[in-house]
Amino acid sequence: MNFYDIIFYIFAAITLLSALFVVTTRNIVHSAFYLLFTFFGVAGIYVLLGADFIAISQILIYVGGILILLLFGVMLTNKITNVEIRTGTVHMLPAAIATGIFMGAVVAVMVWTEWKSEPSVIPLTTTKDIGHLLLTDYVLIFELLGILLLVALIGAASIARRDEE
Amino acid sequence: MYQFLYNLIGNEIIAGLLVAVVPLTIILVFALFGIWLERKVSAHMQDRLGPMRTGWHGWLQTVADLMKMLQKEDIIATDADKTLYNIAPVLVFTGSFAVYAVIPFSSKLLGSEVEIGLFYVLAISSLVVAGILMAGWSANNKYSLLGAMRAAAQIISYEIPTALIVLSMVMLTGTLSLDKISQMQTSSFWNWNIFGGAIFSLSKFLLIPFMFVGALIIFISTLAEVNRVPFDIPEAESELVAGYFTEYCGMKWGMFMLAEYGNMFAVSAIISILFFGGYQSPFGYLGNTIGAQWLVPFEQGFWFLAKGLTLVFVQMWLRWTLPRLRVDQLMTVCWKYLIPYAFINLIIIGIISIL
């Protein structure tokens, strides 16, 4: 077994185990903190795939931004332990059929897709290429996303200011 | 360095672990030295002598403290959340230790030559925020929780001016690699980024004032990110006992101290790489002059430590000079002053660098 294989299995185990804890634990703050390890494991797998920029963005955006926001939100709720997250199991049959179809579709795609399995040379860095692509081929989408985020920001600021009148 | 160790030992795992041990040693030794220095600096600024009894001028005092800390009983409050309480110090220390993976101490002593070093530093330090929140919440103590909330709000806010200044430096140098940024500022202090970079032209002189502003802003905002005075409201001892690590004792408390001192040196190192030439000597190398090439990396290590420790000394100096800010003043400084100035600085540096 290769050195990198071992690292891959460690990261995969971290991701899967912590994701399992996220959905099974009764304490929502614990859930939020286990999510940290899930994000971290996914970032590690990105690194092993040679996508260094995406891995770091994953940590910066999800751990540094979204998770912290989530923690603030969770810690400000008044009922932290023993929250009844699981709703009652009605509609068992349609749910089973729907999940079965979805699972089948995913597995089918996984099996029938022709994956690029050639041992490609892992690029030294992807940052430059991503930058070039963002400002040439995908510049319209990039700008639109920027405007969307700006709109969200202005909306958030206006909601936060409203009670000052 | 990894390649060198790999050739020497021939085992990937052992070589990788050895590479990780080097910055760990540096953090531990620096924390021992830094705590002693902090005590001596504060004592001399207040016209005292500080620790004098353990060793020459008390230099063994921190070692003695460490011995004491290791022997202490590990007390966990009954109502604390034990799992998270035990993970939190490790997470905080991991965040500050992981930064050292990309810091080049000299042209030969650098952990990872990864191309996106600066971006990595900004991202991985967010682990510290998660760790602090974890520590504050799991201790089940109102002072801890308040301190953790304040720390998280402060660190997230001050990450923005830091990132803007880093962005302007990335625009100027055209790379995210800390090693390449260091290499660009070679041969003389006149080529450091604070003096406009290595390319001699009109834009170099136009850049100098904006570089000074940038260096000042990043120094202030990183000072806030490592929770040092005057931005130490997360652990303001007159209001919050000790902030987010109020309930910790023994070596778990020691981990927070290690992380704090590790962070202090890490941000000083980042500032010195961005603006003050990193490991480059300000005058040229003795090794090159007398024809002993092997001497150059050692000289580089010396200059790097000298620059880093100078900035750490300035941080300690400020601690005994300025009073603590209030929470609202802290946010005002960040959002109303530092971020607009950093934005304007970014735009001006961008315009000058495409001239």
Side-chain angles (χ1 to χ4, degrees):
Chain A
M1 204 194 245
N2 192 346
F3 181 39
Y4 292 100
D5 288 345
I6 301 171
I7 296 180
F8 169 76
Y9 284 116
I10 291 172
F11 276 123
I14 289 174
T15 313
L16 290 177
L17 279 179
S18 58
L20 190 71
F21 283 131
V22 170
V23 290
T24 52
T25 181
R26 306 280 290 171
N27 186 324
I28 50 174
V29 175
H30 282 196
S31 292
F33 278 121
Y34 284 128
L35 209 54
L36 168 76
F37 298 102
T38 316
F39 290 146
F40 185 74
V42 172
I45 290 172
Y46 278 136
V47 171
L48 289 176
L49 288 172
D52 51 357
F53 190 81
I54 298 180
I56 305 295
S57 307
Q58 163 90 12
I59 292 182
L60 188 72
I61 295 168
Y62 282 92
V63 177
I66 293 176
L67 184 77
I68 303 294
L69 205 66
L70 209 74
L71 282 172
F72 265 96
V74 164
M75 283 178 182
L76 292 176
T77 54
N78 54 356
K79 237 174 97 179
I80 285 175
T81 47
N82 288 321
V83 183
E84 197 56 51
I85 304 170
R86 212 178 340 164
T87 51
T89 46
V90 287
H91 305 307
M92 278 290 274
L93 191 68
I97 293 171
T99 18
I101 291 172
F102 181 69
M103 180 102 180
V106 170
V107 170
V109 168
M110 247 165 66
V111 172
W112 285 328
T113 310
E114 286 200 15
W115 299 100
K116 287 182 188 169
S117 59
E118 72 213 79
S120 57
V121 185
I122 290 177
L124 200 62
T125 173
T126 53
T127 320
K128 209 159 214 163
D129 299 334
I130 289 175
H132 275 297
L133 281 176
L134 276 183
L135 289 180
T136 51
D137 292 4
Y138 302 105
V139 68
L140 182 67
I141 300 167
F142 183 63
E143 294 287 328
L144 282 177
L145 279 177
I147 291 169
L148 186 73
L149 287 176
L150 185 69
V151 169
L153 204 68
I154 294 171
S158 89
I159 290 171
R161 278 178 70 91
R162 191 162 290 163
D163 54 349
E164 269 185 29
E165 288 165 16
Chain B
M1 193 171 67
Y2 172 74
Q3 205 57 43
F4 170 74
L5 282 172
Y6 179 60
N7 292 338
L8 194 73
I9 298 164
N11 185 324
E12 283 174 326
I13 300 174
I14 296 174
L17 286 177
L18 275 180
V19 171
V21 164
V22 173
L24 187 64
T25 322
I26 291 172
I27 293 187
L28 292 176
V29 173
F30 171 74
L32 286 181
F33 176 72
I35 292 172
W36 174 76
L37 189 72
E38 173 109 56
R39 287 176 158 188
K40 291 307 264 191
V41 167
S42 56
H44 283 279
M45 282 191 185
Q46 296 168 343
D47 209 8
R48 302 185 277 123
L49 284 172
M52 287 295 283
R53 287 169 195 266
T54 330
W56 181 80
H57 277 253
W59 71 277
L60 281 171
Q61 184 66 48
T62 342
V63 181
D65 282 347
L66 187 74
M67 294 294 167
K68 181 192 75 179
M69 232 153 34
L70 284 172
Q71 293 170 30
K72 273 194 172 179
E73 187 193 347
D74 181 35
I75 303 169
I76 302 176
T78 331
D79 281 344
D81 191 319
K82 288 190 186 52
T83 328
L84 296 182
Y85 184 85
N86 289 330
I87 297 175
V90 182
L91 201 63
V92 171
F93 182 68
T94 310
S96 91
F97 174 47
V99 172
Y100 283 79
V102 292
I103 291 180
F105 286 90
S106 82
S107 57
K108 293 278 183 286
L109 182 62
L110 68 167
S112 165
E113 289 128 64
V114 66
E115 275 285 324
I116 48 170
L118 264 175
F119 195 36
Y120 169 83
V121 169
L122 287 180
I124 206 77
S125 50
S126 57
L127 273 183
V128 176
V129 188
I132 286 174
L133 275 176
M134 199 186 265
W137 186 81
S138 67
N140 211 351
N141 175 323
K142 61 188 169 190
Y143 296 123
S144 301
L145 189 59
L146 271 176
M149 288 290 183
R150 283 184 181 186
Q154 174 177 335
I155 294 173
I156 290 176
S157 305
Y158 278 86
E159 248 172 31
I160 301 169
T162 314
L164 285 172
I165 298 298
V166 166
L167 197 62
S168 62
M169 297 315 290
V170 171
M171 269 162 55
L172 188 73
T173 52
T175 177
L176 282 164
S177 157
L178 289 166
D179 188 38
K180 281 189 184 151
I181 293 175
S182 303
Q183 282 169 17
M184 280 177 191
Q185 310 174 49
T186 183
S187 82
S188 144
F189 68 90
W190 189 237
N191 288 335
W192 290 356
N193 278 338
I194 193 151
F195 295 116
I199 303 153
F200 193 82
S201 64
L202 176 68
S203 62
K204 178 179 164 77
F205 292 97
L206 287 175
L207 276 171
I208 292 176
F210 302 106
M211 285 295 158
F212 273 86
V213 172
L216 194 64
I217 292 177
I218 200 173
F219 182 75
I220 295 172
S221 52
T222 50
L223 197 64
E225 276 194 67
V226 296
N227 299 335
R228 296 282 304 176
V229 184
F231 304 105
D232 74 329
I233 59 155
E235 48 198 87
E237 65 269 14
S238 50
E239 306 163 33
L240 293 180
V241 190
Y244 51 85
F245 50 84
T246 304
E247 291 280 334
Y248 283 90
C249 66
M251 204 49 216
K252 284 178 197 158
W253 178 84
M255 297 280 269
F256 284 110
M257 274 327 251
L258 274 182
E260 182 182 336
Y261 279 84
N263 276 335
M264 271 168 77
F265 188 76
V267 297
S268 303
I270 299 293
I271 297 173
S272 83
I273 289 165
L274 282 177
F275 287 98
F276 300 100
Y279 53 71
Q280 303 285 1
S281 152
F283 315 113
Y285 296 108
L286 186 68
N288 285 338
T289 319
I290 61 170
Q293 290 294 331
W294 56 268
L295 201 61
V296 174
F298 292 100
E299 281 183 63
Q300 288 173 334
F302 166 75
W303 285 113
F304 188 79
L305 287 180
K307 288 169 189 173
L309 287 179
T310 311
L311 285 168
V312 167
F313 174 71
V314 177
Q315 289 178 346
M316 291 173 178
W317 182 7
L318 283 176
R319 176 169 180 172
W320 301 104
T321 312
L322 298 172
R324 183 183 301 137
L325 271 74
R326 280 203 320 261
V327 181
D328 59 326
Q329 290 169 335
L330 183 94
M331 289 296 154
T332 311
V333 168
C334 178
W335 292 96
K336 289 191 179 163
Y337 296 97
L338 290 184
I339 291 178
Y341 289 159
F343 252 120
I344 295 168
N345 213 41
L346 173 75
I347 293 168
I348 293 174
I349 288 175
I351 292 172
I352 293 175
S353 62
I354 57 168
L355 275 182

